[in-house]
Amino acid sequence: HSSYRQDTTPLFDTSQLSIASPCTETFNVMATGELNPNHYPARRAAQVVQHYLNTRYGSPFRLIGVQKVHSANAEDVADSGRKYQLELSVKETISNTTENCSAELFFPRGVEQHSPKVQASCEALLKIDTKAQEEALYQEYKRNQSLVSAQNLPDSHGRIAPDMEPFWQLGILASSFIMLNESNENTLYNVAQVANITQLATEDDQLKFDCHTLLHDMVSQEIIHWKLLFTWSPPEGVKVLQMEKLPHRHEQEEPPNTN
Amino acid sequence: MLLWRYDALPLLLMSLMYFVCNRVEYDYYKYHPMSEITSWMEQLVKDHPDVVTIVKYGKTYENKDISLLKIGLNTGKEKKAIWMDCGIHAREWIAPAFCQYFVRQILQTYKTDAKMEAMVKNMDFYVTPVLNIDGYIYSWASNTTRLWRKNRSPGPSDCGCNGTDLNRNFDANWGTVGVSFNCCSQTYPGSKPMSEPEARSVADFLGSRKDSFLCFLTIHSYGQLLLVPYGHPNYTAPNYDELMMVGLGAAEAIWKVHGKNYTVGTSPDVLYANSGSSRDWARLQGIPLTYTFELRDKGTYGFELPEDQIQPTCEEAYSGALHIITYAHDKTFSGAVATSAVTLWTVLLAAGVTGATLM
């Protein structure tokens, strides 16, 4: 059960180790049954619920985050995947309201990468009234002669200009569709930064945006670049028209002036 | 004559103010580039020559000096010690900010707070504000480099990318879990254990002094976690129970400050399995209390934590770190005090029981 090197004496003082025994579970076997709500399997599943809730209930003035996982349960479903059940509390970040929710997730397994399926009911979130703010934002940018464009939300120092905050939120909402699609039991996604969000002209009543977003996956620690085309209006919410993963950028290609 | 006097007064006042205000207070609640951190360190030695020295203990890949601040009241004998390092990962800017705050707090409180005074007398604090200096400077270069994590050493010759994840490079179950041998990966552990000069610097400095160290704290972001060894799921530290107990105490201390929840556990339990971390290496050296701090937040701003959160983050993290350090100190130094207290009570009780007078 140990993984000492075979060729030489151990490179470290083994008196500082006590081998967990029996070592029956390898680290590739996922926990099943009742899960510890503080451990990573429940935490990762809760994050997927967060992305789902933002795609369903989110708006530029309603952004949802996981507050705490109260209980979690996982079971294998034949050979097709794994099902999770969660009891969690979520927080809407602007109004600071908290709600308890139940959620069920299914992570499919197979040769092709499938997106997780989520069912969650947090109806109280809809009761947070953002209609007036949404309408005001919509009218302002529908009427505006010039098209809004913002970069680096937040910037290197964590700053976002107050009038750009709704666009940061929109960027996060649109990114939630990607994060939901891309999630599995070995990922934990957050938006690291909305690198660019640019309004495009439209003929219809939607606001339309081109967006370059940087996702951080905690598990691999990678920063993944995505480009998105999406629309938004108060009645329709966010609709993603196109999404495209950008190739891994090699920092070596951009030598900056470090002095 | 009167006119001259009136003219002179504002000038005089301005000169006085310039003299007084020229020593601008260091702003601990802003992020500072490396040059400012270096100046700050040098200024601290000037301001507190009896307690602070700078120790240069290695070089980065780009040949910059890696320095720590050694803080302690010199008793002339080899002292027990506390280690803290920040900024192993370049993009985690809140970590170096915390190291600077931590040092400021010690220096501000040791003269007036009896407990801190005792700790500074009994122990030396070794604080490295930025370990991965090359990476940190790179992350300040432009918007596109802000999210760099690794150091800046070149990859293998056939690789188009550079940088090694220093927190996978230490000789602790190296290369087994939580790494990718793709040299472009953020968790590339290097060509071999301790291949990186930054990691070797820590190992060389601590290696000969390991028996002195009671505590090894390595500061990161984000996630709001306190991680205990080991990163490999098949190994448990012999003092796991103690590590958890003290860690939970630290998390409670953190929560009391601003209500933020920090989860305590091993990496494989609460985050992910990993190998080659500095924390695991330190534990394997025998340093009993080793923790990784993952500071704010939980993903809203992530690495780009707003400056208005620097102060509350530092305040809560300080409370947590102090809990661990105080435990380590009291375990080592209060033993004598406790023993004599027990002896005294035993004598008093015995005297009470027998009716004997003590005088």
Side-chain angles (χ1 to χ4, degrees):
Chain A
H1 52 86
S2 70
S3 53
Y4 284 114
R5 290 160 207 271
Q6 298 299 310
D7 51 342
T8 57
T9 55
L11 291 167
F12 37 81
D13 177 8
T14 56
S15 68
Q16 299 304 327
L17 295 172
S18 76
I19 317 284
S21 68
C23 194
T24 49
E25 274 194 23
T26 68
F27 44 89
N28 285 322
V29 174
M30 299 296 284
T32 303
E34 178 114 25
L35 304 179
N36 185 319
N38 286 323
H39 288 189
Y40 77 76
R43 179 76 186 84
R44 291 178 195 176
Q47 193 82 346
V48 178
V49 175
Q50 175 182 309
H51 300 319
Y52 168 79
L53 290 174
N54 277 314
T55 61
R56 248 208 94 195
Y57 300 105
S59 96
F61 302 97
R62 193 190 296 126
L63 205 63
I64 297 138
V66 172
Q67 170 94 307
K68 191 183 160 80
V69 181
H70 299 290
S71 69
N73 203 288
E75 60 184 66
D76 285 314
V77 178
D79 281 325
S80 60
R82 260 163 83 80
K83 189 171 89 165
Y84 285 73
Q85 275 162 322
L86 298 177
E87 298 292 325
L88 68 161
S89 51
V90 297
K91 184 150 98 157
E92 196 287 300
T93 50
I94 299 171
S95 63
N96 226 17
T97 48
T98 309
E99 193 201 345
N100 289 328
C101 302
S102 300
E104 222 172 74
L105 300 93
F106 179 69
F107 287 106
R109 225 164 262 163
V111 179
E112 278 168 47
Q113 171 73 289
H114 292 294
S115 308
K117 308 270 182 294
V118 185
Q119 269 178 298
S121 189
C122 300
E123 296 301 323
L125 289 171
L126 279 177
K127 296 203 186 95
I128 303 164
D129 187 11
T130 55
K131 275 199 182 67
Q133 294 159 291
E134 287 180 35
E135 198 54 40
L137 181 77
Y138 175 76
Q139 290 301 334
E140 183 182 351
Y141 287 95
K142 198 73 191 125
R143 277 193 302 247
N144 215 343
Q145 294 282 26
S146 59
L147 300 167
V148 69
S149 183
Q151 288 76 41
N152 302 314
L153 306 173
D155 70 8
S156 292
H157 295 252
R159 291 179 294 233
I160 302 170
D163 55 338
M164 290 299 115
E165 277 203 36
F167 300 102
W168 176 54
Q169 314 266 70
L170 268 175
I172 293 175
L173 284 187
S175 303
S176 298
F177 286 84
I178 304 174
M179 294 192 286
L180 178 61
N181 269 8
E182 295 292 303
S183 286
N184 58 51
E185 289 163 288
N186 294 313
T187 59
L188 184 71
Y189 281 108
N190 284 293
V191 175
Q193 191 193 58
V194 176
N196 189 311
I197 179 162
T198 300
Q199 188 183 2
L200 303 172
T202 52
E203 306 276 284
D204 61 22
D205 57 358
Q206 300 297 303
L207 293 181
K208 192 167 173 183
F209 299 92
D210 190 31
C211 178
H212 179 171
T213 184
L214 274 52
L215 304 182
H216 172 238
D217 169 32
M218 184 69 83
V219 181
S220 66
Q221 292 292 352
E222 295 295 333
I223 303 292
I224 306 135
H225 296 241
W226 282 83
K227 282 214 92 174
L228 288 155
L229 196 64
F230 70 93
T231 60
W232 175 75
S233 69
E236 297 292 314
V238 168
K239 297 254 182 300
V240 177
L241 305 177
Q242 282 173 41
M243 46 179 151
E244 183 195 346
K245 185 158 141 179
L246 297 175
H248 179 100
R249 292 205 179 162
H250 297 247
E251 306 298 348
Q252 236 183 9
E253 292 162 10
E254 313 168 63
N257 189 3
T258 51
N259 285 320
Chain B
M1 191 91 150
L2 205 67
L3 206 67
W4 178 86
R5 244 181 264 163
Y6 275 123
D7 277 343
L9 195 58
L11 191 67
L12 211 63
L13 276 172
M14 273 175 65
S15 307
L16 193 69
M17 281 187 70
Y18 180 80
F19 175 74
V20 168
C21 299
N22 197 33
R23 274 285 306 279
V24 180
E25 276 289 301
Y26 190 77
D27 193 342
Y28 289 89
Y29 308 134
K30 284 219 159 350
Y31 295 117
H32 292 274
M34 196 62 216
S35 55
E36 287 176 15
I37 296 176
T38 306
S39 303
W40 166 81
M41 290 173 76
E42 289 162 359
Q43 189 61 47
L44 275 185
V45 174
K46 287 190 188 129
D47 292 345
H48 306 267
D50 47 338
V51 231
V52 184
T53 47
I54 290 175
V55 179
K56 294 183 181 172
Y57 65 99
K59 294 242 187 238
T60 65
Y61 171 74
E62 289 174 357
N63 217 34
K64 301 194 187 66
D65 287 318
I66 305 175
S67 309
L68 57 77
L69 292 163
K70 179 181 169 185
I71 303 158
L73 287 167
N74 201 347
T75 55
K77 44 185 182 189
E78 188 172 299
K79 294 168 70 181
K80 289 298 179 188
I82 304 287
W83 172 273
M84 182 182 288
D85 66 74
C86 296
I88 274 192
H89 290 136
R91 59 195 180 194
E92 299 165 11
W93 285 14
I94 186 62
F98 173 64
C99 263
Q100 293 164 68
Y101 176 91
F102 178 77
V103 165
R104 195 277 298 266
Q105 280 305 105
I106 297 176
L107 294 174
Q108 234 178 32
T109 59
Y110 83 94
K111 281 182 180 158
T112 50
D113 180 275
K115 185 70 189 191
M116 184 55 82
E117 189 190 1
M119 294 210 286
V120 164
K121 276 191 177 138
N122 292 330
M123 306 185 299
D124 284 335
F125 291 79
Y126 292 83
V127 182
T128 302
V130 183
L131 181 54
N132 179 8
I133 295 171
D134 298 345
Y136 186 70
I137 291 173
Y138 187 72
S139 72
W140 274 80
S142 79
N143 286 317
T144 56
T145 61
R146 174 62 177 83
L147 295 172
W148 186 258
R149 169 181 166 90
K150 303 186 283 184
N151 75 350
R152 294 294 297 163
S153 64
S157 48
D158 57 347
C159 185
C161 305
N162 47 9
T164 292
D165 185 346
L166 292 174
N167 211 32
R168 302 285 185 279
N169 188 244
F170 283 79
D171 194 1
N173 278 312
W174 180 86
T176 51
V177 292
V179 296
S180 166
F181 283 97
N182 179 339
C183 59
C184 293
S185 156
Q186 296 300 328
T187 55
Y188 175 67
S191 52
K192 58 178 188 186
M194 302 299 205
S195 56
E196 304 308 299
E198 295 89 353
R200 280 201 305 275
S201 300
V202 174
D204 291 344
F205 185 81
L206 277 172
S208 54
R209 300 173 172 78
K210 62 183 180 184
D211 295 331
S212 309
F213 280 87
L214 303 173
C215 194
F216 180 101
L217 305 179
T218 181
I219 315 296
H220 293 246
S221 77
Y222 59 92
Q224 292 177 212
L225 308 167
L226 295 179
L227 302 171
V228 306
Y230 290 105
H232 194 294
N234 290 10
Y235 299 112
T236 307
N239 64 332
Y240 171 79
D241 290 342
E242 179 188 38
L243 285 162
M244 284 302 291
M245 178 192 73
V246 180
L248 288 164
E252 198 189 331
I254 289 173
W255 181 82
K256 280 185 176 150
V257 184
H258 295 299
K260 292 294 181 188
N261 285 314
Y262 278 58
T263 306
V264 185
T266 65
S267 280
D269 279 346
V270 302
L271 184 60
Y272 45 55
N274 70 345
S275 57
S277 69
S278 63
R279 173 205 66 226
D280 284 0
W281 176 84
R283 187 63 195 86
L284 287 168
Q285 295 300 300
I287 300 172
L289 291 157
T290 64
Y291 293 86
T292 306
F293 277 56
E294 295 281 356
L295 302 179
R296 288 196 197 180
D297 59 14
K298 295 190 101 140
T300 307
Y301 291 94
F303 301 114
E304 296 176 334
L305 194 69
E307 286 179 314
D308 65 9
Q309 286 200 47
I310 295 179
Q311 184 174 0
T313 305
C314 286
E315 286 167 349
E316 70 204 13
Y318 179 75
S319 207
L322 195 62
H323 178 90
I324 298 167
I325 291 165
T326 306
Y327 172 87
H329 170 271
D330 291 353
K331 196 179 169 196
T332 314
F333 295 98
S334 295
V337 174
T339 312
S340 56
V342 166
T343 313
L344 184 65
W345 275 112
T346 313
V347 168
L348 286 170
L349 282 168
V353 164
T354 61
T357 54
L358 290 166
M359 296 296 263

